[in-house]
Structures are given as C-alpha cells and as structure tokens.
Amino acid sequence: MKTIIANWKMHLTVRESLALTRSVMLSLRGKATVPEVVLCPSFTALEAVHKATSKSRVKLGAQDVFWEEKGAFTGEISPRQLKELGVSLVIVGHSERRAPGGESDAMVNKKVIAVLAAGLTPIICVGETKTERQAGKAESVVRAQVKAALANLPLPLLKKEGPRTLIFAYEPVWAIGTGDPATPADAVAMHQLIRATAEAGVAGIKPKQIRVLYGGSVDGQNAYSFLREPEIDGLLVGGASLKTAEFEQILSSTLAVISNQ
Ligand code: PGA
C-alpha cells in the first residue's frame, strides 16, 4: 500500500480547499485500487473538507495538534476536537513547527502520545538541516528525533480503537520547498534507519505497524522514482499538492506503481 499526503499548509481559503478537494476526488473516481490519500487543509477548512469527502475514500488530516485533551490553552486545538471534525491523521513535528525556538522533541513526543490516545494516527516528521548533513550528522539527528518522538510510548496505545500504525515522514529540512529533493537512494537509506530505530523504540511493535514516507520537493516528475522503492511507503507533498495537474500526476504515478506490485 502507498500513502499520499497533501499538506496544504496555510495557503488556502475554505472555498479554495473545497475546489482542490473536488479535483482530487475526481482523479480517483472509478479507479478500482487507489492509494491511501490524505488531505491536510488548514483547521478552518477541516469541517468543510470532511463533509465533501465523507462518502469517499479520501481521508482527512490535520497539520498540527496540542497535547492536552482540554483546558485553558488559548489558541490550541486538542486531538478530540480534531476527531470531532472527522480528522483521522495528524501531522506532528513538521520542521516548520520545529523551527528554531519552536517545537522541541519533548513536545513532539507529548503530541504523538496524545494523538494515539485519542485513537488517531500520527504522521511524525523528522529530518536534518543542511548544516547537520554537511557535518555528517544526518543519521544521528534523525535517529535521535525518532527515538525522542517514541519515548515512553506504551504498545497498547497502538491498539486504541483498532490497530494503529505509526507513520513517519522523512523530510530533510533542506529539501522542503526548495526544488532540491533528496535522491531516492539517500531517502531509502534514511527510511531503513527510521524503521529500524522505530522498531527498537517500541517493544513488541510489528513491522507492518510502521510506515515511512518521503517528503521534500516531491513533484509530478520525480514522484515515481521515490514510489517505486519498496522502502518508501508513500509521499508527503507540500507545494505540488496545491497544483491540480501536478498532484494528479503524482496520483497517477502512484497508481502505476501500485498496479505493478
Ligand atoms: P514541499 O513541502 O513538497 O513543498 O517541499 C513538503 C512539506 O513541507 O511537507
């Protein structure tokens, strides 16, 4: 199975989100086998996109979450509030949130636990900066992020409301929005490291409960080269998910890979 996640970031109004949602659903219509497609609009558009997709195979994701269930946390949104809007997956630890002075590894860990406790699936973003890669620290940075995200994670949490997977997105910070993606070979190597670290990080977890996606300057041209790698379970797409033709191309590359499997 391959998973394609569209991260629309803070780009669209509700009306624009609905228009894009319709075009995604149109490109999947009539296909017998489709990838798992997850749309992550802004919080403001979650309810509308949920209504538009509720009878389709398209799933709804949120771009962030807070770790407390409820309380005096002005401006924050809890997992149960997202769930009420039809959300089933939540991006956690995106580099645009981790950015210096922002979200720490410890906060990412709290969010992962809160998301799972609510019966939702976390999409945990990890990835090194250019400086870290140049210093030869890419592997150690990513390994530490994965370990920290899973700290004190009890296995039973993954069974909350049915079997749950942990989704990781390897997103090298230098590749996000730059037009300079990682090579598929580099991504595969990092995916193997992420998988091994996650397997060691949660006692008793089964390999099929871990999925690792690639993100960072994915477009219609390069999507296939990532998707054809068995270690790459799918893609987290930013900029290209906002362009109808480009995203359609990514979906048709995914369909091509799925039908060859
Ligand atoms: P990009 O963004 O595809 O525009 O590089 C990916 C992301 O930030 O998730």
Side-chain angles (χ1 to χ4, degrees):
M1 211 242 296
K2 298 281 183 186
T3 300
I4 306 296
I5 302 179
N7 176 9
W8 293 343
K9 308 194 179 183
M10 201 182 66
H11 287 289
L12 307 176
T13 62
V14 176
R15 187 189 288 252
E16 290 161 348
S17 304
L18 279 175
L20 201 50
T21 301
R22 285 192 201 101
S23 73
V24 171
M25 292 203 302
L26 209 58
S27 35
L28 298 173
R29 187 170 293 169
K31 308 276 190 308
T33 318
V34 295
E36 178 180 48
V37 176
V38 184
L39 302 181
C40 302
S42 294
F43 291 138
T44 50
L46 284 171
E47 189 169 15
V49 173
H50 174 58
K51 277 195 189 132
T53 53
S54 58
K55 293 197 180 71
S56 77
R57 294 170 283 191
V58 172
K59 295 185 181 167
L60 189 63
Q63 298 177 17
D64 190 26
V65 69
F66 193 60
W67 56 80
E68 295 288 348
E69 200 181 311
K70 59 199 271 195
F73 303 102
T74 303
E76 301 290 0
I77 299 203
S78 72
R80 72 182 195 130
Q81 290 175 317
L82 293 175
K83 200 172 177 184
E84 190 183 22
L85 295 176
V87 164
S88 49
L89 299 96
V90 185
I91 298 175
V92 172
H94 190 282
S95 69
E96 286 154 15
R97 303 217 56 92
R98 288 184 191 255
E103 204 159 297
S104 66
D105 278 340
M107 288 158 78
V108 172
N109 176 238
K110 284 189 193 182
K111 291 185 177 190
V112 170
I113 291 176
V115 165
L116 287 167
L120 304 174
T121 300
I123 303 158
I124 308 162
C125 299
V126 295
E128 80 285 0
T129 63
K130 180 138 241 157
T131 323
E132 288 161 346
R133 176 156 282 260
Q134 282 164 347
K137 292 186 186 150
E139 283 80 9
S140 60
V141 165
V142 170
R143 191 181 295 115
Q145 287 176 340
V146 173
K147 269 193 194 169
L150 302 181
N152 306 315
L153 189 86
L155 188 66
L157 261 195
L158 284 169
K159 294 201 189 106
K160 195 95 195 257
E161 297 178 29
R164 208 143 292 289
T165 50
L166 290 176
I167 302 183
F168 287 89
Y170 171 50
E171 296 210 307
V173 179
W174 47 269
I176 295 177
T178 58
D180 178 25
T183 62
D186 281 348
V188 166
M190 201 58 104
H191 283 215
Q192 288 165 340
L193 177 142
I194 291 170
R195 179 169 279 285
T197 311
E199 281 182 24
V202 185
I205 196 166
K206 297 195 180 73
K208 67 167 194 250
Q209 288 180 286
I210 301 167
R211 301 176 54 68
V212 191
L213 319 183
Y214 171 76
S217 294
V218 169
D219 61 22
Q221 295 295 312
N222 62 28
Y224 189 86
S225 66
F226 291 105
L227 290 164
R228 71 176 170 202
E229 303 290 347
E231 288 88 353
I232 299 183
D233 297 313
L235 302 169
L236 176 49
V237 188
S241 72
L242 297 163
K243 301 178 195 139
T244 304
E246 198 80 31
F247 197 60
E248 253 171 36
Q249 220 179 328
I250 294 172
L251 291 177
S252 60
S253 296
T254 320
L255 290 169
V257 171
I258 293 176
S259 57
N260 284 337
Q261 275 174 346

